[in-house]
Amino acid sequence: MTDFPYVPEYITVHLGPPNSSARNVTVPFLEYIQNVASSELYPTWPENALRANIYAQVSFALNRIYTEWYRSRGYDFDITNSTAYDQAFVEGRDIFENVAEIVNELFDHYLARPGFIQPLFSAYCDGRRVQCEGLSQWGTVALAEQGLTPYEILTRYYGNDLDIRTAPIRPLVQSYPGTPLRIGTVSNSVEIMQGRLNRISNNYPAIPKIYPVNGIFDLDTYNAVVAFQRIFNLTPDGVVGPATWAQITSVYTAVRNLAELNAEGITLQDVTRELPNLLTEGMQGAEIRLLQFYLRTVGTYNDEVPVIEIDGFFGPATREAVIAFQQFSGLTPDGIVGPNTWNALIAAYEQIAATQQATGDVSLPPTATLVLGSQSNDVFRLQQNLNRLAAFYPEINPIPQTGYYGEQTRNAVMAYQQLFGLPVTGNVYPYTFYLIEVSANQAEMNGS
């Protein structure tokens, strides 16, 4: 499930009921809607009736795409041509010319409730052979003959609280982030997953709530994932791979009734993520130090980006480094660090770190954030540095070097953060890791 609806360039249709062995066909979405409309509607109907039905057909299909209704259930298609489940589609059929012209105009329009994001699950039936909750296709003819507009016809069936919106056109993508989410992962995908698990837990109280929902895959998130996996008969390993992600998406769709007329709507607040603040010349603080750390690292390995000092002040030298990096990355070289520059900078850092790891060089901090519950060689390295500091700073207690990030390690990290004027979070981001290692080196060098 993506944050916002879109029209896919192509849609894959299963030529039969979901569990049948029928073939799949992949067709352009525009041609799919032309086919559906030509298969279900009569070209002699009043134009306003045709338009009202086409709005409903597009919205129905986009709801299937938005909720990943079939993909999240393990199917390799987006919709079926079985009218018991979806919409009629007849492979290779002739398309009515007047119907095609209307579809060409409306194929990127969909219905939605005011204040909600998802396309309306615009249930409908023919109204003669089959009656249902939702739009009656033959009923639209009578209403159009009475002079009602397409919107007025639609509100007769779906209520007055109805919007008609347009969606952008882009390639079909799956919401799964591509790599498994596990302890230490920090990303928008983790934040999305945390929010969905919290909503699911309303229906399945055995799943513990995750607070805060912040995009950090910590121990609380791990415990919620394991509980979810146990309830839904998945391997309880605490890792969100494709199967667990798909099951979370499917259950989330179900508990919010997103594929029903009475859906519990997705609001803008549900999908809005916190992006990094815009950083500009003249600013100072912890975010600037993080920016400078990434720029300095990239500059050390890339001659096109100057190596700068980490002083926490966004001065001319930092701006020049930002512009140089933006030019190198094909971004607008405006010297302003927004989400696109942040993402490109972190990606460049991660590529350098991955190359170092492949060659056995571990001088760079790890790319993953270390949190309570993390277990890795990077945690062992962190514990070594904290114990080096403990020899000089009594505020930091010595800890066992086990490679497991437990309470003792977290307390030592928080003591370091308190001592060196950092936000006391207990989480070790790459820059925090870097500072701890630098502090340990300086303490041993200075003997204090």
Side-chain angles (χ1 to χ4, degrees), residues 207-238:
I207 300 173
K209 293 288 188 182
I210 303 168
Y211 292 114
V213 173
N214 56 8
I216 301 173
F217 199 127
D218 53 15
L219 192 58
D220 287 344
T221 305
Y222 172 88
N223 290 334
V225 169
V226 168
F228 176 88
Q229 291 170 325
R230 285 177 175 152
I231 290 172
F232 292 97
N233 299 316
L234 298 164
T235 301
D237 57 6

Short mmCIF file of all heavy atoms in Angstrom, two decimals, residues 207-238:
data_model
loop_
_atom_site.label_atom_id
_atom_site.label_comp_id
_atom_site.label_asym_id
_atom_site.label_seq_id
_atom_site.Cartn_x
_atom_site.Cartn_y
_atom_site.Cartn_z
N ILE A 207 -0.81 -8.00 20.35
CA ILE A 207 0.29 -7.26 19.73
C ILE A 207 0.54 -6.00 20.54
O ILE A 207 -0.34 -5.14 20.65
CB ILE A 207 -0.05 -6.88 18.27
CG1 ILE A 207 -0.31 -8.15 17.45
CG2 ILE A 207 1.09 -6.07 17.65
CD1 ILE A 207 -0.82 -7.86 16.05
N PRO A 208 1.70 -5.87 21.16
CA PRO A 208 1.95 -4.68 22.00
C PRO A 208 2.05 -3.41 21.16
O PRO A 208 2.52 -3.44 20.02
CB PRO A 208 3.30 -5.01 22.68
CG PRO A 208 3.97 -5.98 21.77
CD PRO A 208 2.86 -6.79 21.14
N LYS A 209 1.61 -2.31 21.74
CA LYS A 209 1.72 -1.02 21.07
C LYS A 209 3.18 -0.59 20.97
O LYS A 209 4.02 -0.93 21.82
CB LYS A 209 0.94 0.05 21.84
CG LYS A 209 -0.57 -0.15 21.85
CD LYS A 209 -1.19 0.15 20.49
CE LYS A 209 -2.71 0.15 20.59
NZ LYS A 209 -3.34 0.39 19.27
N ILE A 210 3.47 0.18 19.94
CA ILE A 210 4.82 0.70 19.72
C ILE A 210 4.78 2.20 19.98
O ILE A 210 4.07 2.94 19.29
CB ILE A 210 5.29 0.44 18.28
CG1 ILE A 210 5.24 -1.06 17.96
CG2 ILE A 210 6.70 0.98 18.06
CD1 ILE A 210 5.40 -1.37 16.48
N TYR A 211 5.53 2.65 20.95
CA TYR A 211 5.64 4.08 21.24
C TYR A 211 7.10 4.43 21.47
O TYR A 211 7.80 3.73 22.20
CB TYR A 211 4.82 4.45 22.47
CG TYR A 211 3.34 4.34 22.29
CD1 TYR A 211 2.60 3.40 22.99
CD2 TYR A 211 2.66 5.18 21.40
CE1 TYR A 211 1.23 3.28 22.82
CE2 TYR A 211 1.29 5.06 21.23
CZ TYR A 211 0.59 4.11 21.94
OH TYR A 211 -0.77 4.00 21.76
N PRO A 212 7.58 5.52 20.81
CA PRO A 212 6.86 6.31 19.81
C PRO A 212 6.96 5.67 18.43
O PRO A 212 7.82 4.82 18.19
CB PRO A 212 7.62 7.65 19.83
CG PRO A 212 9.03 7.25 20.15
CD PRO A 212 8.92 6.09 21.11
N VAL A 213 6.07 6.08 17.53
CA VAL A 213 6.18 5.69 16.12
C VAL A 213 7.15 6.68 15.49
O VAL A 213 6.79 7.81 15.18
CB VAL A 213 4.80 5.74 15.44
CG1 VAL A 213 4.93 5.51 13.94
CG2 VAL A 213 3.87 4.70 16.06
N ASN A 214 8.39 6.25 15.32
CA ASN A 214 9.44 7.19 14.92
C ASN A 214 10.35 6.68 13.81
O ASN A 214 11.35 7.31 13.48
CB ASN A 214 10.31 7.55 16.14
CG ASN A 214 10.91 6.32 16.80
OD1 ASN A 214 10.81 5.20 16.28
ND2 ASN A 214 11.52 6.51 17.95
N GLY A 215 10.04 5.52 13.23
CA GLY A 215 10.86 5.01 12.13
C GLY A 215 12.10 4.28 12.58
O GLY A 215 12.91 3.88 11.73
N ILE A 216 12.27 4.08 13.89
CA ILE A 216 13.43 3.35 14.42
C ILE A 216 13.00 1.95 14.82
O ILE A 216 12.13 1.78 15.68
CB ILE A 216 14.05 4.08 15.63
CG1 ILE A 216 14.49 5.49 15.25
CG2 ILE A 216 15.23 3.29 16.18
CD1 ILE A 216 14.95 6.32 16.44
N PHE A 217 13.57 0.95 14.21
CA PHE A 217 13.21 -0.44 14.51
C PHE A 217 13.93 -0.84 15.80
O PHE A 217 15.05 -1.31 15.79
CB PHE A 217 13.64 -1.34 13.35
CG PHE A 217 12.94 -2.68 13.31
CD1 PHE A 217 12.29 -3.09 12.16
CD2 PHE A 217 12.92 -3.52 14.41
CE1 PHE A 217 11.65 -4.33 12.10
CE2 PHE A 217 12.28 -4.75 14.37
CZ PHE A 217 11.65 -5.15 13.21
N ASP A 218 13.25 -0.63 16.92
CA ASP A 218 13.84 -0.89 18.23
C ASP A 218 13.25 -2.17 18.82
O ASP A 218 12.55 -2.93 18.13
CB ASP A 218 13.60 0.30 19.16
CG ASP A 218 12.13 0.69 19.25
OD1 ASP A 218 11.27 -0.11 18.84
OD2 ASP A 218 11.84 1.79 19.75
N LEU A 219 13.53 -2.40 20.09
CA LEU A 219 13.10 -3.64 20.72
C LEU A 219 11.58 -3.72 20.82
O LEU A 219 10.99 -4.80 20.66
CB LEU A 219 13.74 -3.77 22.10
CG LEU A 219 13.63 -5.14 22.78
CD1 LEU A 219 14.25 -6.23 21.92
CD2 LEU A 219 14.29 -5.11 24.15
N ASP A 220 10.92 -2.59 21.10
CA ASP A 220 9.45 -2.59 21.15
C ASP A 220 8.86 -2.99 19.79
O ASP A 220 7.88 -3.74 19.72
CB ASP A 220 8.92 -1.22 21.56
CG ASP A 220 9.16 -0.92 23.03
OD1 ASP A 220 9.45 -1.86 23.78
OD2 ASP A 220 9.07 0.26 23.42
N THR A 221 9.46 -2.47 18.72
CA THR A 221 9.00 -2.82 17.38
C THR A 221 9.23 -4.30 17.10
O THR A 221 8.36 -4.99 16.56
CB THR A 221 9.73 -1.96 16.33
OG1 THR A 221 9.57 -0.57 16.65
CG2 THR A 221 9.19 -2.22 14.94
N TYR A 222 10.37 -4.78 17.50
CA TYR A 222 10.69 -6.21 17.33
C TYR A 222 9.64 -7.08 18.04
O TYR A 222 9.13 -8.05 17.46
CB TYR A 222 12.08 -6.48 17.90
CG TYR A 222 12.46 -7.94 17.98
CD1 TYR A 222 13.05 -8.59 16.89
CD2 TYR A 222 12.24 -8.67 19.14
CE1 TYR A 222 13.40 -9.93 16.97
CE2 TYR A 222 12.58 -10.01 19.23
CZ TYR A 222 13.17 -10.64 18.14
OH TYR A 222 13.51 -11.96 18.22
N ASN A 223 9.32 -6.72 19.27
CA ASN A 223 8.34 -7.51 20.03
C ASN A 223 6.96 -7.49 19.37
O ASN A 223 6.25 -8.51 19.35
CB ASN A 223 8.24 -6.99 21.46
CG ASN A 223 9.50 -7.28 22.27
OD1 ASN A 223 10.23 -8.24 21.98
ND2 ASN A 223 9.78 -6.46 23.27
N ALA A 224 6.58 -6.33 18.83
CA ALA A 224 5.28 -6.25 18.14
C ALA A 224 5.29 -7.09 16.87
O ALA A 224 4.30 -7.77 16.56
CB ALA A 224 4.97 -4.79 17.82
N VAL A 225 6.39 -7.07 16.14
CA VAL A 225 6.50 -7.87 14.92
C VAL A 225 6.41 -9.36 15.24
O VAL A 225 5.68 -10.12 14.59
CB VAL A 225 7.81 -7.55 14.17
CG1 VAL A 225 8.06 -8.57 13.05
CG2 VAL A 225 7.77 -6.15 13.60
N VAL A 226 7.14 -9.80 16.27
CA VAL A 226 7.12 -11.21 16.66
C VAL A 226 5.70 -11.64 17.06
O VAL A 226 5.22 -12.71 16.67
CB VAL A 226 8.11 -11.48 17.80
CG1 VAL A 226 7.90 -12.87 18.40
CG2 VAL A 226 9.55 -11.36 17.29
N ALA A 227 5.02 -10.79 17.83
CA ALA A 227 3.65 -11.11 18.24
C ALA A 227 2.74 -11.23 17.02
O ALA A 227 1.91 -12.16 16.92
CB ALA A 227 3.12 -10.05 19.20
N PHE A 228 2.89 -10.32 16.08
CA PHE A 228 2.09 -10.37 14.84
C PHE A 228 2.39 -11.67 14.08
O PHE A 228 1.47 -12.35 13.62
CB PHE A 228 2.40 -9.16 13.97
CG PHE A 228 1.70 -9.17 12.64
CD1 PHE A 228 0.43 -8.63 12.50
CD2 PHE A 228 2.30 -9.75 11.52
CE1 PHE A 228 -0.23 -8.65 11.27
CE2 PHE A 228 1.65 -9.78 10.30
CZ PHE A 228 0.39 -9.24 10.18
N GLN A 229 3.66 -11.99 13.95
CA GLN A 229 4.03 -13.20 13.20
C GLN A 229 3.46 -14.45 13.85
O GLN A 229 3.01 -15.37 13.14
CB GLN A 229 5.56 -13.29 13.10
CG GLN A 229 6.17 -12.21 12.19
CD GLN A 229 7.68 -12.16 12.28
OE1 GLN A 229 8.26 -12.38 13.35
NE2 GLN A 229 8.33 -11.85 11.17
N ARG A 230 3.45 -14.50 15.16
CA ARG A 230 2.91 -15.68 15.84
C ARG A 230 1.40 -15.81 15.62
O ARG A 230 0.88 -16.90 15.38
CB ARG A 230 3.22 -15.60 17.33
CG ARG A 230 4.69 -15.92 17.63
CD ARG A 230 5.01 -15.77 19.09
NE ARG A 230 6.38 -16.19 19.38
CZ ARG A 230 7.14 -15.72 20.37
NH1 ARG A 230 6.63 -14.81 21.20
NH2 ARG A 230 8.36 -16.17 20.55
N ILE A 231 0.70 -14.69 15.68
CA ILE A 231 -0.75 -14.72 15.49
C ILE A 231 -1.11 -15.19 14.09
O ILE A 231 -2.07 -15.96 13.91
CB ILE A 231 -1.35 -13.33 15.77
CG1 ILE A 231 -1.26 -13.00 17.26
CG2 ILE A 231 -2.80 -13.25 15.30
CD1 ILE A 231 -1.64 -11.57 17.59
N PHE A 232 -0.32 -14.77 13.09
CA PHE A 232 -0.66 -15.07 11.70
C PHE A 232 0.22 -16.17 11.10
O PHE A 232 0.39 -16.24 9.88
CB PHE A 232 -0.62 -13.78 10.87
CG PHE A 232 -1.71 -12.82 11.25
CD1 PHE A 232 -1.46 -11.78 12.14
CD2 PHE A 232 -3.00 -13.00 10.78
CE1 PHE A 232 -2.47 -10.91 12.52
CE2 PHE A 232 -4.01 -12.13 11.15
CZ PHE A 232 -3.75 -11.09 12.03
N ASN A 233 0.76 -17.02 11.99
CA ASN A 233 1.44 -18.25 11.58
C ASN A 233 2.61 -18.00 10.63
O ASN A 233 2.84 -18.74 9.66
CB ASN A 233 0.45 -19.22 10.92
CG ASN A 233 -0.67 -19.63 11.86
OD1 ASN A 233 -0.43 -19.94 13.03
ND2 ASN A 233 -1.90 -19.59 11.37
N LEU A 234 3.37 -16.94 10.92
CA LEU A 234 4.61 -16.66 10.21
C LEU A 234 5.78 -17.02 11.10
O LEU A 234 5.64 -17.12 12.32
CB LEU A 234 4.68 -15.19 9.82
CG LEU A 234 3.58 -14.69 8.88
CD1 LEU A 234 3.53 -13.16 8.90
CD2 LEU A 234 3.81 -15.19 7.46
N THR A 235 6.95 -17.21 10.52
CA THR A 235 8.14 -17.50 11.32
C THR A 235 8.40 -16.33 12.27
O THR A 235 8.62 -15.19 11.81
CB THR A 235 9.37 -17.70 10.42
OG1 THR A 235 9.10 -18.78 9.52
CG2 THR A 235 10.60 -18.02 11.25
N PRO A 236 8.37 -16.54 13.60
CA PRO A 236 8.50 -15.42 14.55
C PRO A 236 9.96 -15.01 14.76
O PRO A 236 10.52 -15.16 15.83
CB PRO A 236 7.89 -16.00 15.83
CG PRO A 236 8.19 -17.47 15.73
CD PRO A 236 8.11 -17.84 14.28
N ASP A 237 10.56 -14.45 13.69
CA ASP A 237 11.97 -14.06 13.77
C ASP A 237 12.17 -12.56 13.99
O ASP A 237 13.30 -12.09 14.11
CB ASP A 237 12.72 -14.50 12.51
CG ASP A 237 12.09 -13.94 11.23
OD1 ASP A 237 11.15 -13.12 11.32
OD2 ASP A 237 12.55 -14.33 10.14
N GLY A 238 11.08 -11.80 14.03
CA GLY A 238 11.19 -10.37 14.27
C GLY A 238 11.72 -9.58 13.08
O GLY A 238 12.00 -8.40 13.20
#
